[in-house]
Amino acid sequence: MIALSVLTIEFTPAHVLYTGPLLVATPALAAVAMGPKGTLAAVALAVAVSVITATYNGAWGSQQVYTNFLALFLVSLASVATSSTVRKRREDELEQVRRIAVAAQEAVLRPVPVGLGPLRVAGMYLAAETGAQIGGDLYEAVQTRYGVRVIVGDVRGKGLPAVRAAAAVLGAFREAVHYEEELAGVVNRCEAALLRDAAVPGVIDPEALVEGFVTVLVAQVPDGPVVEVVNRGHPPPLLLRDGRVRALEPGCPLPPLGLAEFITGPADAADSYSFAPGDRLLLYTDGVIEARDGDGEFFALPGAMEAVGAAPEAQEFLDRLHRGLLRHTRHRLADDAAMFLVDR
């Protein structure tokens, strides 16, 4: 913009105005917003414009032209050095923010061990928000005296309020799984923690207090060939057996956490399903099955599971589903997506 203004002035009757200071300021202004390469490009542009205008006006040999070039040279050196320093400082700050983000992620979503007793597990999380590593989806697996207990959930909303709600539910789950004999008791402890957190002024914004809830699915895999599930408004898990996938629908649908007042039937019993050696159980959030392609078609998760099959290891199985999901959406997720795989 400055170079264009200078050319306009110099090639019109307004060329009586002295434009040298404008060109000298160009590298300094570029150093504020651009890196070293951008600053060098601004320097080259300022030099080119200076040469063009000096030639057009026949000003070569005048003291004014050489003074202008000397000032441009000195300012350019200082600008390039400044832009390099600023860029290095920004990179250091960004790296520090990334380290903090990784620490926050591991505090909320801890790394999942590969093996838990007779099970092989793997987890995957994709945050929809650019640059984020955590969001409103959650998962965890813990080995207890009652068997391996797993939770997968999805907080309504996004941003920091969703992360706080996810942290509250996960914190309660990690403690309750070791003391509550029944899965329903674990779920109740998670809901109580969510309500306590929401009651603290300023922790969750007013909109989240009115509309916020968390869908969760809590599963328990004991020593026997079964899996017990309590589903609070969450998409049903998918069981892959002998190359075919079926959804484990709840016997009595229950509302999400935070909406316990809408429970009309019994909520103290878990549904039990067959889970034999060789079976593969996938827990996921609605960000996976509601992911759309360019034509608005949803991601066909059961078909994708059958296409991958039972041969790969747990992590490789999830990685293939992950790649298929990204291909389907062209790397443009509209919502957070999490998947958690359990192999017996």
Side-chain angles (χ1 to χ4, degrees):
M1 181 63 73
I2 294 177
L4 181 60
S5 300
V6 170
L7 290 174
T8 301
I9 293 173
E10 294 291 344
F11 292 158
T12 64
H15 68 84
V16 293
L17 297 175
Y18 181 47
T19 59
L22 292 177
L23 291 173
V24 171
T26 301
L29 294 175
V32 175
M34 303 179 181
K37 291 183 179 179
T39 304
L40 287 173
V43 170
L45 179 61
V47 171
V49 172
S50 296
V51 171
I52 292 172
T53 56
T55 302
Y56 178 78
N57 294 318
W60 290 107
S62 66
Q63 182 179 2
Q64 190 178 60
V65 168
Y66 294 121
T67 301
N68 181 51
F69 274 102
L70 178 59
L72 182 58
F73 174 74
L74 294 176
V75 172
S76 297
L77 286 179
S79 298
V80 171
T82 300
S83 64
S84 299
T85 303
V86 170
R87 181 177 181 180
K88 180 64 168 59
R89 183 182 302 133
R90 288 176 178 173
E91 289 177 349
D92 291 342
E93 291 175 352
L94 180 59
E95 182 60 29
Q96 182 179 12
V97 170
R98 286 174 176 167
R99 289 196 299 267
I100 294 173
V102 170
Q105 180 188 27
E106 292 181 352
V108 178
L109 293 179
R110 298 185 303 199
V112 177
V114 175
L116 288 173
L119 307 180
R120 294 296 178 267
V121 299
M124 184 216 72
Y125 191 98
L126 293 174
E129 188 171 344
T130 303
Q133 299 189 61
I134 54 177
D137 288 3
L138 58 99
Y139 60 75
E140 178 68 289
V142 181
Q143 188 167 14
T144 73
R145 55 181 170 169
Y146 309 108
V148 176
R149 288 178 163 179
V150 181
I151 185 172
V152 170
D154 185 0
V155 181
R156 176 184 173 88
K158 298 179 180 180
L160 289 178
V163 175
R164 294 189 190 104
V169 172
L170 281 174
F173 173 81
R174 288 165 180 159
E175 180 181 6
V177 289
H178 295 288
Y179 302 105
E180 294 289 342
E181 184 175 356
E182 302 295 331
L183 276 187
V186 175
V187 175
N188 291 338
R189 293 271 292 271
C190 293
E191 183 165 42
L194 179 67
L195 295 177
R196 284 196 307 270
D197 196 64
V200 178
V203 171
I204 299 180
D205 59 42
E207 182 179 352
L209 282 173
V210 174
E211 301 181 1
F213 56 81
V214 183
T215 68
V216 297
L217 187 146
V218 179
Q220 175 175 292
V221 184
D223 293 334
V226 298
V227 57
E228 299 170 6
V229 177
V230 172
N231 191 335
R232 292 290 297 270
H234 201 76
L238 299 177
L239 180 69
L240 176 63
R241 173 182 292 166
D242 298 329
R244 304 295 297 174
V245 172
R246 72 181 182 96
L248 304 184
E249 298 287 351
C252 179
L254 297 172
L257 302 185
L259 301 177
E261 64 268 23
F262 296 103
I263 296 178
T264 57
D268 56 353
D271 295 311
S272 183
Y273 308 91
S274 173
F275 188 44
D279 288 351
R280 177 161 274 171
L281 187 68
L282 182 69
L283 291 71
Y284 54 94
T285 60
D286 59 9
V288 178
I289 56 175
E290 294 179 359
R292 299 173 183 261
D293 61 11
D295 298 325
E297 296 292 330
F298 291 114
F299 180 61
L301 182 57
M305 291 179 62
E306 292 178 356
V308 175
E313 294 294 327
Q315 189 59 57
E316 176 61 21
F317 184 90
L318 272 194
D319 289 342
R320 293 189 187 183
L321 288 182
H322 173 200
R323 292 193 291 268
L325 177 63
L326 293 182
R327 283 195 303 269
H328 181 79
T329 61
R330 298 180 182 178
H331 295 260
R332 297 177 181 175
L333 285 175
D335 193 8
D336 297 336
M339 291 186 283
F340 195 91
L341 188 69
V342 181
D343 283 354
R344 183 183 283 281

